[in-house]
């Protein structure tokens, strides 16, 4: 309560009240189901003080932004980078068999439009093979996805490069 | 643009003083260069505005952005310096001005047919541009967020999409382009507020994955998100992104009301599509929703998408559930063991699916902003597995009324009334933006944000008085439910009239706040109750500052005419004064931007007898 009031009082005078942190409060949101980047502390500071410290980011998922990539490029580049930042959404979508994160994952894996519905269906069926526990890492999820795809006649073609 | 042409003669003069022509194969004539320096596009990519004392000044506050020492205030000097710089040797690599300023380069090359330019590789820029692969643009408007001063009025940012993003439905792969204040080090809050006020923080553009912004808004802050797909062509979007590269790590002045995120985005759109005039409409303030309206009025919007916040999704999921089922939602969020119990399994499969999904959403909502808790993660995972076995129907959240269709931000008020048999007229202006009786459409429910309100009163015999000067009044009334128990709170400060000795109205300075709870009684009624505290400077009182504790409670009713409210409040001062007030308001909505409000007020004070006031007010929401 005290914090909220202070925050609100600040708004009375804060000249930067329209500002948002340019770099994003941090990478990730710290409330993850799956272990990933955490950063609630800095988000809190950022939303109260309306900014953040550190270098402002300027694009390029593979380099300058605040998300740690932790060498995940070795697991197939873009899919891993994307996966690391949407683990929560993806797990929910895959459990339900539909959703934007699941589509995005399919696209990042190079699955062609005509096979995406099939991809959604297959990964939905194998949800617990892909997300094996609450402590699954993005690397494990990625590897497990490829393993599942290799077992499927239509999807095997997209899993070959790994 | 109008403003910019106003000071042409001054520009001509400075051009004559500062011009140093580059040694080109075929030098353009001074007249041609002067004409180019006056071109709206050149002025736009230099972010020039007419200075307060005539001449030019650039919004950019960063020497790295200018090639001429006079660049910040002299577009012509900057133009000729740029022209010279484009011919510097190619071995400068990525530091070559052509690589640093691709938008300027393209424009000058096109305008002056510079066919003899050196050809630096510009590897950094090319890689960056290829990674973004700009094709189309989307304006993003996260709705107001009362619990953060940075977001009280909403915010705007741009999303840059690649060619197939829209058709694939993979906006999560897009980039967000955001302008915001940049804070270095760890300033404390007080210093922050002060520096923000004085423009002490620079503003910077940042480009980051849209999915991060999405998580921030819809998950962490629980704000609804509006996406306005713009009809910019790939060429226009590309031109804008090219210029954004020129703004990498470049600092702007940042001011609260005008030179904010929304204003900067309007500038970018003017660069994307030369000839657009968007910024001229916002000389004083650029409230995000107003800029959305301007962009829509300019015919830039092709389609509007809505993304409900995670909180709204949770509440929507809970809506059809019975009390017993809601109890199950809470039980399962706290402990997943009963998933297999005979009691839970006795529910029909499709109801179980809804309950499981509700429990998962509740759990994720509770985990919001917390450090990762392995036990909660384990429960979430168990619920996901249950959902996987028995998926719920797709959640469909109905789209609320568009924010830009809400009433305008500034309000003029004209009232006539009577206080204790003395007639008066009241004239008011509120700079921003919404109170609880105003037309709700397009605004967050139970949110009141008023900034800078002035009321003057004219009593009989031409007696004028300052009735109220309100710096800010903010109220957040979020109803409690079986699943969520949010806090309701309010804070206000300024000058106002209170009952004084002998029936006078005394002008006092005050600051007050309160906290409590709200309850949704029916679809159209909301009740609230809060404990309050107040500090007041009152000439009737002995201490310089008098303090009071009290209460504030009321009922809001959205009816066919508009919104009605009944409110009771009391302040019990330490010095013995007790002040209570009971008020009734009914707003009658005459149109999107016109309303009539009838208010009745009865005030009690130890200093004087009870006073009655009745007023009829015309409210015009404008601009």
């Amino acid at each position: 309560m005290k914090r909220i009031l202070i925050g609100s009082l600040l708004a009375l005078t804060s000249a930067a009240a329209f500002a948002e942190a340019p770099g994003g409060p941090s990478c990730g949101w710290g409330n993850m189901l799956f272990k990933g980047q955490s950063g609630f502390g800095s988000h809190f500071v950022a939303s109260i003080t309306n900014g953040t410290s550190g270098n402002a980011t300027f694009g390029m998922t593979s380099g300058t932004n605040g998300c740690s990539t932790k060498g995940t490029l070795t697991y197939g580049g873009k899919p891993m980078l994307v996966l690391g930042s949407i683990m929560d959404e993806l797990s929910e979508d895959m459990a339900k068999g539909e959703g934007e994160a699941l589509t995005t994952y399919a696209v990042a894996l190079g699955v062609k439009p005509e096979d995406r519905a099939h991809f959604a269906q297959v990964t939905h069926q194998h949800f617990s093979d892909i997300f094996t526990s609450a402590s699954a890492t993005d690397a494990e999820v990625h590897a497990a996805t490829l393993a599942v795809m290799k077992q499927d006649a239509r999807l095997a073609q997209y899993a070959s490069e790994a | 643009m109008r403003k910019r042409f106003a000071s042409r003669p001054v520009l001509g003069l400075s051009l004559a003083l500062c011009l140093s022509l580059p040694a080109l194969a075929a030098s353009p004539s001074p007249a041609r260069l002067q004409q180019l320096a006056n071109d709206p596009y050149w002025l736009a990519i230099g972010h020039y505005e007419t200075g307060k004392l005539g001449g030019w000044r650039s919004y950019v506050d960063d020497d790295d952005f200018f090639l001429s020492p006079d660049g910040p205030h002299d577009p012509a000097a900057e133009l000729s310096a740029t022209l010279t710089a484009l011919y510097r040797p190619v071995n400068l690599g990525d530091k070559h001005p052509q690589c640093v300023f691709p938008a300027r380069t393209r424009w000058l090359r096109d305008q002056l047919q510079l066919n003899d330019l050196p050809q630096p590789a510009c590897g950094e820029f090319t890689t960056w541009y290829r990674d973004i692969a700009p094709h189309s643009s989307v304006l993003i408007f996260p709705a107001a967020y009362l619990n953060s001063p940075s977001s009280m009025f909403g915010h705007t940012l741009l999303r840059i999409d690649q060619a197939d993003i829209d058709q694939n439905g993979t906006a999560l792969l897009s980039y967000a382009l955001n302008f915001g204040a940049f804070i270095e080090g760890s300033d404390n809050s007080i210093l922050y507020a002060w520096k923000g006020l004085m423009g002490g923080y620079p503003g910077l553009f940042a480009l980051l994955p849209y999915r991060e912004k999405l998580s921030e808004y819809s998950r962490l802050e629980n704000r609804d998100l509006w996406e306005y797909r713009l009809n910019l062509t790939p060429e226009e979007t590309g031109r804008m992104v090219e210029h954004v590269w020129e703004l990498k790590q470049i600092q702007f002045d940042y001011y609260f009301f005008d030179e904010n995120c929304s204003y900067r985005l309007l500038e970018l759109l003017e660069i994307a599509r030369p000839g657009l005039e968007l910024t001229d409409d916002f000389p004083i303030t650029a409230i995000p929703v107003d800029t959305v309206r301007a962009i829509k009025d300019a015919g830039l919007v092709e389609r509007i998408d809505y993304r409900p916040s995670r909180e709204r999704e949770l509440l929507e999921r809970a809506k059809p559930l019975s009390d017993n089922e809601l109890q199950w939602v809470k039980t399962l969020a706290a402990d997943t063991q009963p998933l297999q119990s005979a009691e839970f399994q006795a529910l029909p499969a499709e109801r179980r699916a809804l309950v499981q999904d509700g429990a998962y959403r509740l759990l994720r909502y509770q985990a919001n902003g917390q450090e990762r808790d392995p036990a909660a993660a384990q429960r979430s995972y168990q619920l996901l597995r249950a959902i996987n076995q028995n998926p719920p129907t797709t959640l469909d959240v109905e789209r609320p009324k568009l924010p830009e269709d809400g009433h305008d931000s500034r309000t003029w008020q004209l009232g006539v009334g009577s206080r204790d048999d003395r007639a008066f007229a009241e004239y008011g202006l509120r700079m921003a933006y919404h109170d609880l009786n105003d037309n709700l459409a397009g605004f967050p429910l139970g949110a009141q944000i008023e900034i800078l309100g002035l009321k003057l009163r004219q009593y009989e015999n031409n007696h004028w008085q300052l009735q109220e000067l309100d710096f800010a009044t903010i109220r957040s009334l979020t109803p409690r439910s079986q699943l969520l128990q949010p806090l309701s709170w309010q804070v206000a400060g300024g000058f106002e009239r209170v009952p004084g000795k002998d029936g006078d109205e005394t002008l006092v300075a005050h600051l007050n706040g309160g906290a409590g709870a709200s309850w949704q009684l029916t679809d159209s009624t909301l009740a609230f109750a809060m404990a309050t505290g107040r500090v007041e400077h009152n000439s009737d009182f002995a201490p310089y500052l008098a303090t009071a504790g009290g209460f504030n409670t009321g009922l809001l009713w959205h009816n066919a005419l508009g919104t009605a409210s009944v409110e009771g409040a009391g302040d019990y001062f330490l010095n013995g004064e007790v002040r209570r007030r009971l008020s009734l308001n009914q707003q009658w909505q005459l149109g999107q931007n016109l309303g009539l409000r009838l208010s009745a007020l009865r005030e009690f004070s130890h200093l004087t007898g009870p006073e009655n006031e009745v007023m009829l007010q015309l409210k015009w929401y404008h601009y």
Side-chain angles (χ1 to χ4, degrees):
Chain A
M1 178 57 217
K2 194 178 159 207
R3 279 170 167 171
I4 291 169
L5 271 184
I6 289 172
S8 314
L9 288 171
L10 261 182
L12 310 185
T13 50
S14 166
F18 289 139
E20 296 267 346
S26 76
C27 181
W29 51 94
N31 66 332
M32 303 210 153
L33 203 176
F34 298 96
K35 280 181 191 166
Q37 310 83 1
S38 74
F40 175 67
S42 55
H43 171 81
F44 186 75
V45 171
S47 62
I48 289 297
T49 64
N50 200 2
T52 188
S53 37
N55 283 324
T57 72
F58 221 72
M60 300 289 283
T61 22
S62 51
T64 53
N65 77 47
C67 279
S68 156
T69 58
K70 291 188 200 141
T72 47
L73 279 168
T74 51
Y75 285 93
K78 197 156 189 177
M80 276 302 300
L81 276 169
V82 172
L83 175 58
S85 59
I86 59 169
M87 284 274 280
D88 269 20
E89 290 85 348
L90 180 64
S91 61
E92 185 181 334
D93 284 1
M94 207 180 272
K96 292 176 180 170
E98 61 180 4
E100 190 176 21
L102 189 54
T103 309
T104 302
Y105 189 38
V107 171
L109 285 166
V111 178
K112 293 201 183 86
E114 61 269 25
D115 290 330
R116 283 176 203 158
H118 183 65
F119 174 84
Q121 195 190 340
V122 169
T123 51
H124 174 64
Q125 279 159 6
H126 290 87
F127 170 77
S128 47
D129 301 329
I130 294 172
F131 287 90
T132 51
S133 77
S135 53
T137 66
D138 48 4
E140 288 162 6
V141 168
H142 185 241
T145 310
L146 295 180
V148 164
M149 289 167 78
K150 275 180 193 155
Q151 299 303 313
D152 183 90
R154 271 172 77 185
L155 299 178
Q157 53 174 321
Y158 306 109
S160 53
E161 83 277 16
Chain B
M1 298 297 143
R2 232 172 22 242
K3 288 186 294 182
R4 288 174 178 150
F5 284 108
S7 51
R8 252 188 198 178
V10 181
L11 176 74
L13 187 66
S14 57
L15 184 73
L17 292 175
C18 307
L19 200 63
S20 59
L21 277 180
L24 305 181
S27 300
S29 72
R32 174 72 177 133
L33 288 182
Q34 184 179 339
Q35 183 197 10
L36 286 181
N38 278 331
D39 192 289
Y41 193 76
W42 179 254
L43 297 172
I45 59 176
H47 298 267
Y48 289 104
E49 59 155 357
T50 47
K52 302 209 168 34
L53 304 168
W56 297 100
R57 83 170 259 275
S58 175
Y59 285 119
V60 175
D61 182 26
D62 194 324
D63 288 344
D64 290 345
F65 185 68
F66 300 102
L67 291 163
S68 159
D70 295 318
H73 57 87
D74 189 343
E78 186 61 21
L79 184 113
S80 54
T82 304
L83 200 48
T84 311
L86 295 185
Y87 284 89
R88 291 172 72 180
V90 289
N91 61 16
L92 286 169
D94 286 314
K95 299 259 184 298
H96 195 283
Q98 285 188 41
C99 305
V100 179
F101 298 107
R104 293 188 197 187
T105 306
R106 176 194 295 278
W107 187 72
L108 283 175
R109 191 176 51 217
D110 293 351
Q111 295 297 315
L112 295 169
Q113 283 88 47
L114 304 177
N115 303 319
D116 54 345
L117 281 180
Q119 307 279 334
C122 299
E124 272 182 27
F125 168 71
T126 314
T127 314
W128 177 84
Y129 192 87
R130 201 183 296 137
D131 179 56
I132 296 166
H135 186 265
S136 58
S137 319
V138 181
L139 177 79
I140 309 295
F141 175 63
Y145 176 54
L146 288 181
N147 285 344
S148 159
S150 59
S151 310
M152 198 136 292
F153 290 88
H155 177 59
T156 50
L157 58 151
L158 281 174
R159 194 180 85 205
I160 308 294
D161 283 359
Q162 301 187 1
D164 46 6
I165 294 271
D166 192 30
Q167 128 205 17
N168 282 341
T170 50
L172 296 180
L173 297 175
S174 289
Y175 278 106
L177 180 61
N178 191 52
F179 180 76
F182 178 62
I183 299 158
E184 231 162 343
S186 52
D187 284 352
N188 66 43
S189 301
I190 303 297
L191 184 60
Y192 166 77
W194 173 249
K195 281 174 80 172
L197 191 69
M198 308 313 286
Y201 289 113
L204 280 176
F205 276 101
L207 195 70
L208 60 168
Y210 182 56
R211 52 186 182 272
E212 288 176 24
K213 279 305 205 189
L214 215 50
S215 306
E216 180 189 340
Y217 295 128
S218 74
R219 264 175 195 263
L220 251 189
E221 301 184 341
N222 286 304
R223 299 160 72 171
D224 286 350
L225 219 69
W226 295 89
E227 301 176 325
Y228 299 83
R229 175 157 288 283
L230 305 179
N231 58 15
L232 294 181
T233 65
E235 192 199 349
E236 288 169 333
T237 298
R239 191 154 48 209
M240 184 167 72
V241 170
E242 233 172 40
H243 175 62
V244 164
W245 174 260
E246 301 182 337
L247 302 175
K248 182 184 180 185
Q249 306 292 346
I250 292 296
Q251 305 191 343
F252 283 80
D253 297 333
Y254 194 101
Y255 294 100
F256 172 53
F257 276 121
D258 51 355
E259 297 176 28
N260 56 32
C261 59
S262 296
Y263 188 85
R264 291 275 94 85
L265 292 191
L266 295 182
E267 284 188 328
L268 284 188
L269 294 177
E270 288 181 342
I271 287 165
R273 184 174 290 172
L276 271 182
E277 292 188 8
L278 297 168
T279 52
D280 284 359
D281 293 337
F282 299 94
I284 305 171
T285 56
I287 292 179
V289 68
D290 293 339
T291 64
V292 170
R293 210 172 273 136
I295 287 165
K296 200 177 183 185
D297 290 347
L300 279 163
V301 175
E302 193 175 272
R303 196 184 77 220
I304 303 172
D305 294 320
Y306 166 67
R307 280 178 193 266
S309 73
R310 295 287 291 182
E311 180 181 81
R312 197 184 279 263
E313 285 183 343
L314 167 60
L315 294 174
E316 199 65 32
R317 188 47 108 199
K319 227 179 223 171
L321 300 184
S322 69
D323 280 354
N324 178 45
E325 288 165 335
L326 285 174
Q327 194 53 50
W328 271 114
V329 167
K330 285 163 75 177
T331 305
L332 293 176
D335 177 13
T336 51
Q337 287 301 329
L339 273 173
Q340 306 308 328
S341 70
E343 212 184 335
F344 181 62
Q345 292 295 329
L347 293 178
E350 70 270 22
R351 301 309 287 184
R352 280 204 313 269
L354 296 181
V355 169
Q356 287 169 169
D357 190 38
Y360 175 77
R361 289 174 181 280
L362 178 62
L363 189 53
R364 298 322 297 155
Y365 180 87
Q366 291 164 344
N368 225 346
Q370 309 293 321
E371 285 298 320
R372 182 180 185 275
D373 169 14
Q378 182 58 31
R379 291 202 300 280
S380 302
Y381 179 66
Q382 291 307 327
L383 285 167
L384 277 184
R385 290 191 63 154
I387 288 169
N388 184 231
Q389 296 304 311
N390 179 13
T393 49
T394 306
L395 182 65
D396 203 14
V397 181
E398 195 194 342
R399 190 165 107 161
K401 196 167 172 192
L402 295 169
E404 72 272 20
D405 288 345
H407 66 75
D408 285 355
S409 297
R410 203 167 294 164
T411 311
W412 298 90
Q413 299 156 7
L414 175 64
V416 290
S418 150
R419 185 180 174 90
D420 261 12
D421 301 327
R422 292 166 67 212
F424 65 81
E426 188 174 282
Y427 312 91
L429 170 64
R430 181 181 66 189
M431 294 303 283
Y433 135 93
H434 183 71
D435 74 20
L436 295 175
N437 283 97
D438 287 331
N439 190 5
L440 182 67
F443 286 85
L445 198 73
Q448 171 167 348
I449 312 167
E450 295 185 285
I451 306 284
L452 278 187
L454 176 71
K455 285 177 186 164
L456 296 174
R457 233 179 231 196
Q458 178 187 21
Y459 276 102
E460 290 167 79
N461 305 323
N462 214 24
H463 169 73
W464 285 80
Q465 68 182 33
L466 172 67
Q467 192 65 22
E468 184 182 298
L469 178 60
D470 177 42
F471 294 139
T473 301
I474 295 148
R475 293 175 123 179
S476 173
L477 307 179
T478 317
R480 294 165 72 91
S481 64
Q482 205 172 335
L483 296 183
L484 308 178
Q485 284 83 38
L487 189 74
S488 291
W489 56 271
Q490 62 184 18
V491 58
F495 296 90
E496 67 179 12
R497 299 264 169 191
V498 301
K501 286 173 185 154
D502 311 320
D504 282 350
E505 294 176 89
T506 314
L507 188 68
V508 302
H510 74 101
L511 181 67
N512 69 70
S518 309
W519 299 269
Q520 193 80 49
L521 300 183
T522 72
D523 275 354
S524 58
T525 49
L526 179 86
F528 65 91
M530 281 186 253
T532 59
R534 181 180 175 95
V535 183
E536 177 175 305
H537 172 66
N538 184 331
S539 55
D540 284 347
F541 295 163
Y544 185 77
L545 286 177
T547 51
F551 68 91
N552 186 357
T553 180
L555 192 70
L556 280 174
W557 175 39
H558 304 294
N559 53 43
L561 287 181
T563 302
S565 65
V566 187
E567 226 176 286
D571 286 309
Y572 299 82
F573 284 86
L574 290 178
N575 64 13
E577 158 72 334
V578 174
R579 192 185 294 149
R580 285 168 298 150
R581 53 188 284 143
L582 183 68
S583 64
L584 277 154
N585 296 281
Q586 168 76 53
Q587 169 114 348
W588 181 20
Q589 216 50 57
L590 300 174
Q592 184 186 337
N593 286 315
L594 204 60
L596 206 55
R597 187 178 298 183
L598 184 66
S599 321
L601 172 71
R602 187 167 166 83
E603 285 181 311
F604 306 88
S605 162
H606 281 185
L607 299 173
T608 181
E611 308 243 6
N612 291 318
E613 184 178 306
V614 180
M615 177 161 60
L616 185 65
Q617 253 182 318
L618 185 67
K619 287 175 168 274
W620 180 42
Y621 307 87
H622 170 61
Y623 176 54

